[in-house]
Each structure stands twice: as structure tokens, then as C-alpha cells.
Amino acid sequence: MKVLVSGGCGFIGSHFLRYMMNAYRDYSFICLDALTYAGNKNNIKDLLKDSRLTMIEGNIRNAVFLDTLFATYKPDVIVHFAAETHVDRSITGPQVFLETNVIGTGILLDACLRHGIERFHHVSTDEVYGTLPLQGGSAFTEQSPLLPSSPYAASKASSDLLVLSYYKTYGLPITISRCSNNYGTHQYPEKLIPLMIQRALQEAPLPVYGDGLNVRDWIHVVDHCRAIDFILKKGTVGEVYNVGAGEEIPNIKLVKQILDVLGKPYELITYVPDRLGHDLRYAIDSSRLETLGWKAEYTMEETLQGIVEWYRANVI
Ligand code: NAD
């Protein structure tokens, strides 16, 4: 089995490669990554010593390049992580989000159609569902309407619809996962957890949007990777699967937990004007996947200390 992982030098893609290379000794892997500011070859440095992994630097928006890549390596399965992912950047500069997340996904889908593949798995997000009220409201199910708030979320919702259309129109064998916020090592330090750790270690102000009460549903990145592997094996082609661990945490509580782990004072917290269109709360219902037998194994409480230590040693 040959698995092509787009965006494999990013946060989740690099964890997915590590997880799969450990789990499947007889598979080979291709990491396709444009190495944008968010892509870091060092994230897979250890894995590149293994001859089962080939690193190809290139852009999913380049159809000619993709044709050569597919003809040369003949991948069986595509797991598509490559995307622009930072909500704040999508607010100040949405265009590249449309180019990579929508058009790039379309170009990659076309390459899959031309070359024939066993499965295209699209890695999406719970942000496509928009926001829930802080109190009440039912957790998002796969049937919840797509009501994205940010240009990032809208570009991911658009790509989800495109992927589903390639199943309905052309019969391309696709699956989609919509996952909640991931935490773990190797994340680019513009995202909440590594940013807060970095600031706290520098004893610099920790910027918290609005009143800090916005709630995110968190999942350990390795649980997300296990879920994608599980969907590849047990999922039904054409289906969407929510992925979450049911750990709803207000941003301010998480920031305080990080300060506690580091032994730094809460006085470092600085409230800043709220993000435009800021979603209040995400909560995801993963019962479809759990009924099939997948369940999250890690908790924030058990793993946060180790993650903080990793960032202290590797990023700061
Ligand atoms: P990331 O920003 O850390 O990594 C994205 C990777 O994609 C980088 O390595 C980058 O170089 C690469 N890339 C970007 N544009 C490319 C292009 N045009 N061609 C080829 N490669 C390109 O992102 P992440 O947090 O690892 O997220 C991966 C996927 O998971 C995304 O699709 C994201 O929407 C989704 N997701 C993320 C989270 C989360 O909490 N981080 C939650 C749910 C879903």
C-alpha cells in the first residue's frame, strides 16, 4: 500500500506520518508538501531516515507537477491535510485560503480522478459548522448545517462540498473527517497553545481574545491520527465522520492551565480586542465514529505537562 500524505510537514500531517509508519511496516509513504511558512521538514526529520518515506516538495495547485508525481509513485491512498490553517491570517488575507483550500483541493481531486486511487480522505474541521451558543445548543453532528464564520472555515466548508461532489458525480471513493481543535507537539507557534507557552516562557504578555470565555473542543493530535486511520479501514465511502474527544475548555481556563504548568503568574494574561467573527463555542458529537469502535484515548490533563516540556526544549 502506498499512502500519499499532502501537508505531511505540518502539525497534524507529520504526526499522521509518524503514527502510520509505526503502525504499518509494509506500507510506503510519500510526503507532498509546499513547505509554506507552516511546513517544517524538521517535523519529519527522523522519519526521513526510513527508506519507506519519500519527501516531495511541491504545490497541490500545480496540476502538471501532480500528474508526474502520480505517474511516478502511483499512490493507492491520498490523505489530504495540505491547507492554509490559521483563522487570523484568513481574516487579514483570505485569498490564499481560497487558492489552496478550495482550488488546490479541486486540482488534487482531478489528479486522483485521472490516475485512479483507492481512497481520497479529506481532513476537515468542526469549524465548518460555525458556532454554538456558550450555554445550551446541541453538539454538532454530521447533519448539522454548514455555517462557517471565518474565511478559513468557509474555505474548508467549500472544499468539503467539492470533495462530496466528486463522490456523487464521478464516484471518486472519498471519506471526510471533521475534527475539533488538536493539541500536541510540532505545532507552528502562532496557534493558541504553542503561542501561550512561548510568551509565558519569555514572561511576555499572553494575548487572550475578548473575555477569554470562548470554548473550544480539544483532542490530542494522535487520537485524531488514529481516527483517520480507523476511517480508512472501517469508514464507508462517501461518508463524513466527526472526530472529537469531548474536552470542552474555555480559552482562559486553558491559558491558566499552561501558566500553572510553567509556574508563571496569571498577571501575564492580557485581554485584547476580540477576533472578528469569533465563534463562541464548538462542541462535536463523534457518536457515528464511536459506534464503529473508535474512541479518544488521551486527555489534556494527562498530556499537557509533556507537551509544554516539548515546546520548552524545541521551540523557545
Ligand atoms: P499546518 O498549517 O500545521 O500544516 C499545513 C501543511 O500544509 C504545511 O506543512 C504546509 O506547508 C502545507 N501546505 C500548505 N499549502 C500547501 C500547498 N498549496 N501545497 C502543498 N502543501 C501545502 O496545519 P495543521 O494544523 O496540521 O492542519 C492540517 C489539516 O487539518 C488542515 O487541512 C486543517 O484544516 C485540518 N484541521 C486542523 C485542526 C487543528 O486543530 N490544527 C483541526 C481540524 C482540522
PDB file of all heavy atoms in Angstrom, residues 28-64:
ATOM      1  N   SER A  28       4.365   2.007   2.145  1.00  0.00           N
ATOM      2  CA  SER A  28       5.313   3.086   1.864  1.00  0.00           C
ATOM      3  C   SER A  28       4.549   4.410   1.792  1.00  0.00           C
ATOM      4  O   SER A  28       3.326   4.420   1.571  1.00  0.00           O
ATOM      5  CB  SER A  28       6.110   2.818   0.596  1.00  0.00           C
ATOM      6  OG  SER A  28       5.245   2.673  -0.489  1.00  0.00           O
ATOM      7  N   PHE A  29       5.290   5.503   1.970  1.00  0.00           N
ATOM      8  CA  PHE A  29       4.645   6.806   2.155  1.00  0.00           C
ATOM      9  C   PHE A  29       5.319   7.886   1.310  1.00  0.00           C
ATOM     10  O   PHE A  29       6.533   7.879   1.142  1.00  0.00           O
ATOM     11  CB  PHE A  29       4.720   7.215   3.631  1.00  0.00           C
ATOM     12  CG  PHE A  29       4.002   6.255   4.543  1.00  0.00           C
ATOM     13  CD1 PHE A  29       4.663   5.129   5.034  1.00  0.00           C
ATOM     14  CD2 PHE A  29       2.681   6.447   4.871  1.00  0.00           C
ATOM     15  CE1 PHE A  29       4.005   4.227   5.851  1.00  0.00           C
ATOM     16  CE2 PHE A  29       2.015   5.539   5.679  1.00  0.00           C
ATOM     17  CZ  PHE A  29       2.673   4.429   6.181  1.00  0.00           C
ATOM     18  N   ILE A  30       4.494   8.782   0.794  1.00  0.00           N
ATOM     19  CA  ILE A  30       5.004   9.952   0.085  1.00  0.00           C
ATOM     20  C   ILE A  30       4.485  11.170   0.831  1.00  0.00           C
ATOM     21  O   ILE A  30       3.269  11.287   1.049  1.00  0.00           O
ATOM     22  CB  ILE A  30       4.493   9.993  -1.373  1.00  0.00           C
ATOM     23  CG1 ILE A  30       4.884   8.706  -2.106  1.00  0.00           C
ATOM     24  CG2 ILE A  30       5.008  11.222  -2.121  1.00  0.00           C
ATOM     25  CD1 ILE A  30       3.766   8.121  -2.911  1.00  0.00           C
ATOM     26  N   CYS A  31       5.405  12.038   1.215  1.00  0.00           N
ATOM     27  CA  CYS A  31       5.000  13.284   1.854  1.00  0.00           C
ATOM     28  C   CYS A  31       5.075  14.383   0.801  1.00  0.00           C
ATOM     29  O   CYS A  31       6.148  14.681   0.283  1.00  0.00           O
ATOM     30  CB  CYS A  31       5.934  13.613   3.020  1.00  0.00           C
ATOM     31  SG  CYS A  31       5.638  15.250   3.722  1.00  0.00           S
ATOM     32  N   LEU A  32       3.916  14.944   0.445  1.00  0.00           N
ATOM     33  CA  LEU A  32       3.861  16.038  -0.534  1.00  0.00           C
ATOM     34  C   LEU A  32       3.596  17.334   0.226  1.00  0.00           C
ATOM     35  O   LEU A  32       2.551  17.466   0.872  1.00  0.00           O
ATOM     36  CB  LEU A  32       2.731  15.764  -1.538  1.00  0.00           C
ATOM     37  CG  LEU A  32       2.203  16.968  -2.331  1.00  0.00           C
ATOM     38  CD1 LEU A  32       3.285  17.582  -3.180  1.00  0.00           C
ATOM     39  CD2 LEU A  32       1.020  16.539  -3.193  1.00  0.00           C
ATOM     40  N   ASP A  33       4.539  18.266   0.149  1.00  0.00           N
ATOM     41  CA  ASP A  33       4.364  19.494   0.930  1.00  0.00           C
ATOM     42  C   ASP A  33       5.031  20.660   0.210  1.00  0.00           C
ATOM     43  O   ASP A  33       6.132  20.522  -0.312  1.00  0.00           O
ATOM     44  CB  ASP A  33       4.963  19.318   2.333  1.00  0.00           C
ATOM     45  CG  ASP A  33       4.390  20.308   3.328  1.00  0.00           C
ATOM     46  OD1 ASP A  33       4.600  21.531   3.137  1.00  0.00           O
ATOM     47  OD2 ASP A  33       3.725  19.885   4.279  1.00  0.00           O
ATOM     48  N   ALA A  34       4.351  21.806   0.200  1.00  0.00           N
ATOM     49  CA  ALA A  34       4.897  23.005  -0.450  1.00  0.00           C
ATOM     50  C   ALA A  34       5.868  23.745   0.464  1.00  0.00           C
ATOM     51  O   ALA A  34       6.480  24.723   0.041  1.00  0.00           O
ATOM     52  CB  ALA A  34       3.758  23.939  -0.859  1.00  0.00           C
ATOM     53  N   LEU A  35       5.988  23.289   1.717  1.00  0.00           N
ATOM     54  CA  LEU A  35       6.851  23.949   2.700  1.00  0.00           C
ATOM     55  C   LEU A  35       6.570  25.448   2.762  1.00  0.00           C
ATOM     56  O   LEU A  35       7.452  26.277   2.538  1.00  0.00           O
ATOM     57  CB  LEU A  35       8.333  23.658   2.420  1.00  0.00           C
ATOM     58  CG  LEU A  35       8.728  22.189   2.569  1.00  0.00           C
ATOM     59  CD1 LEU A  35      10.200  21.971   2.210  1.00  0.00           C
ATOM     60  CD2 LEU A  35       8.467  21.664   3.982  1.00  0.00           C
ATOM     61  N   THR A  36       5.317  25.775   3.028  1.00  0.00           N
ATOM     62  CA  THR A  36       4.956  27.173   3.301  1.00  0.00           C
ATOM     63  C   THR A  36       5.549  27.535   4.660  1.00  0.00           C
ATOM     64  O   THR A  36       6.212  26.702   5.296  1.00  0.00           O
ATOM     65  CB  THR A  36       3.422  27.335   3.381  1.00  0.00           C
ATOM     66  OG1 THR A  36       2.955  26.644   4.545  1.00  0.00           O
ATOM     67  CG2 THR A  36       2.734  26.793   2.139  1.00  0.00           C
ATOM     68  N   TYR A  37       5.243  28.735   5.167  1.00  0.00           N
ATOM     69  CA  TYR A  37       5.764  29.139   6.482  1.00  0.00           C
ATOM     70  C   TYR A  37       5.385  28.101   7.551  1.00  0.00           C
ATOM     71  O   TYR A  37       6.095  27.937   8.544  1.00  0.00           O
ATOM     72  CB  TYR A  37       5.218  30.528   6.879  1.00  0.00           C
ATOM     73  CG  TYR A  37       3.803  30.456   7.376  1.00  0.00           C
ATOM     74  CD1 TYR A  37       3.545  30.350   8.744  1.00  0.00           C
ATOM     75  CD2 TYR A  37       2.730  30.404   6.498  1.00  0.00           C
ATOM     76  CE1 TYR A  37       2.246  30.222   9.214  1.00  0.00           C
ATOM     77  CE2 TYR A  37       1.435  30.278   6.962  1.00  0.00           C
ATOM     78  CZ  TYR A  37       1.194  30.179   8.312  1.00  0.00           C
ATOM     79  OH  TYR A  37      -0.086  30.025   8.773  1.00  0.00           O
ATOM     80  N   ALA A  38       4.256  27.397   7.351  1.00  0.00           N
ATOM     81  CA  ALA A  38       3.763  26.463   8.384  1.00  0.00           C
ATOM     82  C   ALA A  38       4.365  25.066   8.240  1.00  0.00           C
ATOM     83  O   ALA A  38       4.248  24.246   9.150  1.00  0.00           O
ATOM     84  CB  ALA A  38       2.239  26.365   8.318  1.00  0.00           C
ATOM     85  N   GLY A  39       4.978  24.783   7.107  1.00  0.00           N
ATOM     86  CA  GLY A  39       5.552  23.463   6.868  1.00  0.00           C
ATOM     87  C   GLY A  39       6.998  23.430   7.324  1.00  0.00           C
ATOM     88  O   GLY A  39       7.756  24.363   7.050  1.00  0.00           O
ATOM     89  N   ASN A  40       7.381  22.376   8.003  1.00  0.00           N
ATOM     90  CA  ASN A  40       8.740  22.308   8.553  1.00  0.00           C
ATOM     91  C   ASN A  40       9.268  20.885   8.351  1.00  0.00           C
ATOM     92  O   ASN A  40       8.767  19.940   8.953  1.00  0.00           O
ATOM     93  CB  ASN A  40       8.688  22.668  10.042  1.00  0.00           C
ATOM     94  CG  ASN A  40      10.053  22.720  10.674  1.00  0.00           C
ATOM     95  OD1 ASN A  40      11.053  22.329  10.067  1.00  0.00           O
ATOM     96  ND2 ASN A  40      10.099  23.200  11.906  1.00  0.00           N
ATOM     97  N   LYS A  41      10.290  20.785   7.500  1.00  0.00           N
ATOM     98  CA  LYS A  41      10.862  19.462   7.213  1.00  0.00           C
ATOM     99  C   LYS A  41      11.415  18.800   8.472  1.00  0.00           C
ATOM    100  O   LYS A  41      11.465  17.570   8.559  1.00  0.00           O
ATOM    101  CB  LYS A  41      11.980  19.615   6.179  1.00  0.00           C
ATOM    102  CG  LYS A  41      11.829  18.702   4.981  1.00  0.00           C
ATOM    103  CD  LYS A  41      12.800  19.116   3.919  1.00  0.00           C
ATOM    104  CE  LYS A  41      13.290  17.944   3.127  1.00  0.00           C
ATOM    105  NZ  LYS A  41      14.196  18.361   2.064  1.00  0.00           N
ATOM    106  N   ASN A  42      11.820  19.616   9.432  1.00  0.00           N
ATOM    107  CA  ASN A  42      12.342  19.056  10.690  1.00  0.00           C
ATOM    108  C   ASN A  42      11.284  18.240  11.431  1.00  0.00           C
ATOM    109  O   ASN A  42      11.621  17.390  12.250  1.00  0.00           O
ATOM    110  CB  ASN A  42      12.840  20.171  11.617  1.00  0.00           C
ATOM    111  CG  ASN A  42      14.221  20.611  11.217  1.00  0.00           C
ATOM    112  OD1 ASN A  42      14.973  19.836  10.611  1.00  0.00           O
ATOM    113  ND2 ASN A  42      14.553  21.854  11.508  1.00  0.00           N
ATOM    114  N   ASN A  43       9.991  18.534  11.149  1.00  0.00           N
ATOM    115  CA  ASN A  43       8.919  17.766  11.809  1.00  0.00           C
ATOM    116  C   ASN A  43       8.979  16.278  11.451  1.00  0.00           C
ATOM    117  O   ASN A  43       8.431  15.455  12.180  1.00  0.00           O
ATOM    118  CB  ASN A  43       7.537  18.315  11.411  1.00  0.00           C
ATOM    119  CG  ASN A  43       7.221  19.633  12.092  1.00  0.00           C
ATOM    120  OD1 ASN A  43       7.940  20.052  12.996  1.00  0.00           O
ATOM    121  ND2 ASN A  43       6.142  20.279  11.670  1.00  0.00           N
ATOM    122  N   ILE A  44       9.603  15.960  10.297  1.00  0.00           N
ATOM    123  CA  ILE A  44       9.683  14.545   9.893  1.00  0.00           C
ATOM    124  C   ILE A  44      11.139  14.101   9.680  1.00  0.00           C
ATOM    125  O   ILE A  44      11.397  13.099   9.014  1.00  0.00           O
ATOM    126  CB  ILE A  44       8.842  14.260   8.612  1.00  0.00           C
ATOM    127  CG1 ILE A  44       9.284  15.164   7.446  1.00  0.00           C
ATOM    128  CG2 ILE A  44       7.353  14.414   8.899  1.00  0.00           C
ATOM    129  CD1 ILE A  44       8.741  14.695   6.094  1.00  0.00           C
ATOM    130  N   LYS A  45      12.058  14.870  10.275  1.00  0.00           N
ATOM    131  CA  LYS A  45      13.493  14.601  10.087  1.00  0.00           C
ATOM    132  C   LYS A  45      13.840  13.150  10.426  1.00  0.00           C
ATOM    133  O   LYS A  45      14.541  12.461   9.676  1.00  0.00           O
ATOM    134  CB  LYS A  45      14.281  15.543  10.991  1.00  0.00           C
ATOM    135  CG  LYS A  45      15.717  15.732  10.623  1.00  0.00           C
ATOM    136  CD  LYS A  45      16.253  16.879  11.458  1.00  0.00           C
ATOM    137  CE  LYS A  45      17.730  16.694  11.729  1.00  0.00           C
ATOM    138  NZ  LYS A  45      18.177  17.586  12.789  1.00  0.00           N
ATOM    139  N   ASP A  46      13.340  12.673  11.569  1.00  0.00           N
ATOM    140  CA  ASP A  46      13.630  11.298  11.999  1.00  0.00           C
ATOM    141  C   ASP A  46      13.050  10.281  11.011  1.00  0.00           C
ATOM    142  O   ASP A  46      13.673   9.274  10.684  1.00  0.00           O
ATOM    143  CB  ASP A  46      13.076  11.049  13.416  1.00  0.00           C
ATOM    144  CG  ASP A  46      11.593  11.413  13.553  1.00  0.00           C
ATOM    145  OD1 ASP A  46      11.131  12.346  12.842  1.00  0.00           O
ATOM    146  OD2 ASP A  46      10.889  10.767  14.346  1.00  0.00           O
ATOM    147  N   LEU A  47      11.857  10.586  10.485  1.00  0.00           N
ATOM    148  CA  LEU A  47      11.180   9.628   9.598  1.00  0.00           C
ATOM    149  C   LEU A  47      11.877   9.539   8.244  1.00  0.00           C
ATOM    150  O   LEU A  47      11.833   8.500   7.569  1.00  0.00           O
ATOM    151  CB  LEU A  47       9.723  10.052   9.378  1.00  0.00           C
ATOM    152  CG  LEU A  47       8.877  10.254  10.636  1.00  0.00           C
ATOM    153  CD1 LEU A  47       7.468  10.727  10.264  1.00  0.00           C
ATOM    154  CD2 LEU A  47       8.787   8.955  11.437  1.00  0.00           C
ATOM    155  N   LEU A  48      12.525  10.638   7.828  1.00  0.00           N
ATOM    156  CA  LEU A  48      13.153  10.658   6.505  1.00  0.00           C
ATOM    157  C   LEU A  48      14.363   9.727   6.419  1.00  0.00           C
ATOM    158  O   LEU A  48      14.843   9.419   5.320  1.00  0.00           O
ATOM    159  CB  LEU A  48      13.532  12.095   6.123  1.00  0.00           C
ATOM    160  CG  LEU A  48      12.330  12.960   5.698  1.00  0.00           C
ATOM    161  CD1 LEU A  48      12.722  14.426   5.593  1.00  0.00           C
ATOM    162  CD2 LEU A  48      11.746  12.462   4.373  1.00  0.00           C
ATOM    163  N   LYS A  49      14.835   9.236   7.581  1.00  0.00           N
ATOM    164  CA  LYS A  49      15.942   8.258   7.559  1.00  0.00           C
ATOM    165  C   LYS A  49      15.435   6.892   7.117  1.00  0.00           C
ATOM    166  O   LYS A  49      16.220   5.998   6.790  1.00  0.00           O
ATOM    167  CB  LYS A  49      16.541   8.146   8.958  1.00  0.00           C
ATOM    168  CG  LYS A  49      17.271   9.406   9.382  1.00  0.00           C
ATOM    169  CD  LYS A  49      17.869   9.230  10.767  1.00  0.00           C
ATOM    170  CE  LYS A  49      18.330  10.568  11.322  1.00  0.00           C
ATOM    171  NZ  LYS A  49      18.030  10.753  12.726  1.00  0.00           N
ATOM    172  N   ASP A  50      14.103   6.714   7.119  1.00  0.00           N
ATOM    173  CA  ASP A  50      13.480   5.437   6.778  1.00  0.00           C
ATOM    174  C   ASP A  50      13.170   5.430   5.273  1.00  0.00           C
ATOM    175  O   ASP A  50      12.504   6.348   4.767  1.00  0.00           O
ATOM    176  CB  ASP A  50      12.184   5.318   7.601  1.00  0.00           C
ATOM    177  CG  ASP A  50      11.537   3.965   7.501  1.00  0.00           C
ATOM    178  OD1 ASP A  50      11.589   3.358   6.413  1.00  0.00           O
ATOM    179  OD2 ASP A  50      10.963   3.519   8.509  1.00  0.00           O
ATOM    180  N   SER A  51      13.665   4.419   4.561  1.00  0.00           N
ATOM    181  CA  SER A  51      13.508   4.406   3.098  1.00  0.00           C
ATOM    182  C   SER A  51      12.048   4.233   2.667  1.00  0.00           C
ATOM    183  O   SER A  51      11.724   4.420   1.487  1.00  0.00           O
ATOM    184  CB  SER A  51      14.356   3.288   2.503  1.00  0.00           C
ATOM    185  OG  SER A  51      13.903   2.052   3.036  1.00  0.00           O
ATOM    186  N   ARG A  52      11.159   3.929   3.596  1.00  0.00           N
ATOM    187  CA  ARG A  52       9.740   3.799   3.218  1.00  0.00           C
ATOM    188  C   ARG A  52       9.078   5.158   2.984  1.00  0.00           C
ATOM    189  O   ARG A  52       7.961   5.218   2.490  1.00  0.00           O
ATOM    190  CB  ARG A  52       8.969   3.048   4.315  1.00  0.00           C
ATOM    191  CG  ARG A  52       9.370   1.577   4.441  1.00  0.00           C
ATOM    192  CD  ARG A  52       8.636   0.932   5.593  1.00  0.00           C
ATOM    193  NE  ARG A  52       8.930   1.597   6.845  1.00  0.00           N
ATOM    194  CZ  ARG A  52       8.053   1.794   7.837  1.00  0.00           C
ATOM    195  NH1 ARG A  52       6.832   1.348   7.715  1.00  0.00           N
ATOM    196  NH2 ARG A  52       8.405   2.403   8.939  1.00  0.00           N
ATOM    197  N   LEU A  53       9.765   6.226   3.364  1.00  0.00           N
ATOM    198  CA  LEU A  53       9.180   7.569   3.186  1.00  0.00           C
ATOM    199  C   LEU A  53       9.951   8.361   2.146  1.00  0.00           C
ATOM    200  O   LEU A  53      11.177   8.456   2.202  1.00  0.00           O
ATOM    201  CB  LEU A  53       9.216   8.339   4.519  1.00  0.00           C
ATOM    202  CG  LEU A  53       8.749   9.804   4.451  1.00  0.00           C
ATOM    203  CD1 LEU A  53       7.291   9.907   4.018  1.00  0.00           C
ATOM    204  CD2 LEU A  53       8.953  10.496   5.795  1.00  0.00           C
ATOM    205  N   THR A  54       9.202   8.933   1.180  1.00  0.00           N
ATOM    206  CA  THR A  54       9.803   9.821   0.185  1.00  0.00           C
ATOM    207  C   THR A  54       9.214  11.208   0.373  1.00  0.00           C
ATOM    208  O   THR A  54       7.990  11.352   0.455  1.00  0.00           O
ATOM    209  CB  THR A  54       9.466   9.337  -1.250  1.00  0.00           C
ATOM    210  OG1 THR A  54       9.852   7.971  -1.355  1.00  0.00           O
ATOM    211  CG2 THR A  54      10.191  10.163  -2.297  1.00  0.00           C
ATOM    212  N   MET A  55      10.082  12.197   0.451  1.00  0.00           N
ATOM    213  CA  MET A  55       9.622  13.588   0.593  1.00  0.00           C
ATOM    214  C   MET A  55       9.646  14.264  -0.768  1.00  0.00           C
ATOM    215  O   MET A  55      10.664  14.249  -1.459  1.00  0.00           O
ATOM    216  CB  MET A  55      10.564  14.312   1.569  1.00  0.00           C
ATOM    217  CG  MET A  55      10.456  15.825   1.575  1.00  0.00           C
ATOM    218  SD  MET A  55       9.006  16.386   2.478  1.00  0.00           S
ATOM    219  CE  MET A  55       8.693  17.963   1.678  1.00  0.00           C
ATOM    220  N   ILE A  56       8.517  14.831  -1.176  1.00  0.00           N
ATOM    221  CA  ILE A  56       8.455  15.574  -2.433  1.00  0.00           C
ATOM    222  C   ILE A  56       7.975  16.978  -2.133  1.00  0.00           C
ATOM    223  O   ILE A  56       6.871  17.174  -1.615  1.00  0.00           O
ATOM    224  CB  ILE A  56       7.444  14.926  -3.429  1.00  0.00           C
ATOM    225  CG1 ILE A  56       7.718  13.430  -3.631  1.00  0.00           C
ATOM    226  CG2 ILE A  56       7.442  15.689  -4.756  1.00  0.00           C
ATOM    227  CD1 ILE A  56       8.910  13.110  -4.475  1.00  0.00           C
ATOM    228  N   GLU A  57       8.814  17.951  -2.470  1.00  0.00           N
ATOM    229  CA  GLU A  57       8.400  19.340  -2.262  1.00  0.00           C
ATOM    230  C   GLU A  57       7.626  19.799  -3.488  1.00  0.00           C
ATOM    231  O   GLU A  57       8.125  19.712  -4.619  1.00  0.00           O
ATOM    232  CB  GLU A  57       9.640  20.220  -2.042  1.00  0.00           C
ATOM    233  CG  GLU A  57       9.262  21.629  -1.675  1.00  0.00           C
ATOM    234  CD  GLU A  57      10.471  22.499  -1.356  1.00  0.00           C
ATOM    235  OE1 GLU A  57      11.559  21.960  -1.043  1.00  0.00           O
ATOM    236  OE2 GLU A  57      10.312  23.734  -1.443  1.00  0.00           O
ATOM    237  N   GLY A  58       6.390  20.240  -3.294  1.00  0.00           N
ATOM    238  CA  GLY A  58       5.585  20.694  -4.425  1.00  0.00           C
ATOM    239  C   GLY A  58       4.231  21.188  -3.964  1.00  0.00           C
ATOM    240  O   GLY A  58       3.834  20.967  -2.823  1.00  0.00           O
ATOM    241  N   ASN A  59       3.527  21.823  -4.905  1.00  0.00           N
ATOM    242  CA  ASN A  59       2.284  22.510  -4.559  1.00  0.00           C
ATOM    243  C   ASN A  59       1.075  21.770  -5.127  1.00  0.00           C
ATOM    244  O   ASN A  59       1.073  21.403  -6.309  1.00  0.00           O
ATOM    245  CB  ASN A  59       2.343  23.934  -5.130  1.00  0.00           C
ATOM    246  CG  ASN A  59       1.394  24.850  -4.419  1.00  0.00           C
ATOM    247  OD1 ASN A  59       0.194  24.560  -4.311  1.00  0.00           O
ATOM    248  ND2 ASN A  59       1.907  25.945  -3.903  1.00  0.00           N
ATOM    249  N   ILE A  60       0.047  21.583  -4.299  1.00  0.00           N
ATOM    250  CA  ILE A  60      -1.160  20.886  -4.782  1.00  0.00           C
ATOM    251  C   ILE A  60      -1.885  21.700  -5.858  1.00  0.00           C
ATOM    252  O   ILE A  60      -2.770  21.178  -6.527  1.00  0.00           O
ATOM    253  CB  ILE A  60      -2.154  20.556  -3.636  1.00  0.00           C
ATOM    254  CG1 ILE A  60      -2.557  21.811  -2.851  1.00  0.00           C
ATOM    255  CG2 ILE A  60      -1.596  19.494  -2.703  1.00  0.00           C
ATOM    256  CD1 ILE A  60      -3.801  21.632  -1.991  1.00  0.00           C
ATOM    257  N   ARG A  61      -1.496  22.962  -6.013  1.00  0.00           N
ATOM    258  CA  ARG A  61      -2.162  23.783  -7.039  1.00  0.00           C
ATOM    259  C   ARG A  61      -1.548  23.583  -8.421  1.00  0.00           C
ATOM    260  O   ARG A  61      -2.036  24.148  -9.401  1.00  0.00           O
ATOM    261  CB  ARG A  61      -2.087  25.269  -6.644  1.00  0.00           C
ATOM    262  CG  ARG A  61      -2.779  25.491  -5.333  1.00  0.00           C
ATOM    263  CD  ARG A  61      -2.895  26.912  -4.856  1.00  0.00           C
ATOM    264  NE  ARG A  61      -1.888  27.864  -5.190  1.00  0.00           N
ATOM    265  CZ  ARG A  61      -1.296  28.671  -4.304  1.00  0.00           C
ATOM    266  NH1 ARG A  61      -1.596  28.589  -3.031  1.00  0.00           N
ATOM    267  NH2 ARG A  61      -0.420  29.558  -4.693  1.00  0.00           N
ATOM    268  N   ASN A  62      -0.503  22.751  -8.524  1.00  0.00           N
ATOM    269  CA  ASN A  62       0.206  22.558  -9.794  1.00  0.00           C
ATOM    270  C   ASN A  62      -0.187  21.211 -10.412  1.00  0.00           C
ATOM    271  O   ASN A  62       0.338  20.157 -10.055  1.00  0.00           O
ATOM    272  CB  ASN A  62       1.722  22.621  -9.523  1.00  0.00           C
ATOM    273  CG  ASN A  62       2.529  22.543 -10.792  1.00  0.00           C
ATOM    274  OD1 ASN A  62       2.056  22.061 -11.821  1.00  0.00           O
ATOM    275  ND2 ASN A  62       3.764  23.019 -10.715  1.00  0.00           N
ATOM    276  N   ALA A  63      -1.118  21.265 -11.384  1.00  0.00           N
ATOM    277  CA  ALA A  63      -1.676  20.031 -11.970  1.00  0.00           C
ATOM    278  C   ALA A  63      -0.620  19.236 -12.734  1.00  0.00           C
ATOM    279  O   ALA A  63      -0.618  17.997 -12.689  1.00  0.00           O
ATOM    280  CB  ALA A  63      -2.840  20.390 -12.902  1.00  0.00           C
ATOM    281  N   VAL A  64       0.273  19.931 -13.438  1.00  0.00           N
ATOM    282  CA  VAL A  64       1.295  19.236 -14.233  1.00  0.00           C
ATOM    283  C   VAL A  64       2.235  18.467 -13.300  1.00  0.00           C
ATOM    284  O   VAL A  64       2.558  17.292 -13.518  1.00  0.00           O
ATOM    285  CB  VAL A  64       2.080  20.256 -15.104  1.00  0.00           C
ATOM    286  CG1 VAL A  64       3.212  19.579 -15.858  1.00  0.00           C
ATOM    287  CG2 VAL A  64       1.128  20.966 -16.051  1.00  0.00           C
TER     288      VAL A  64
END
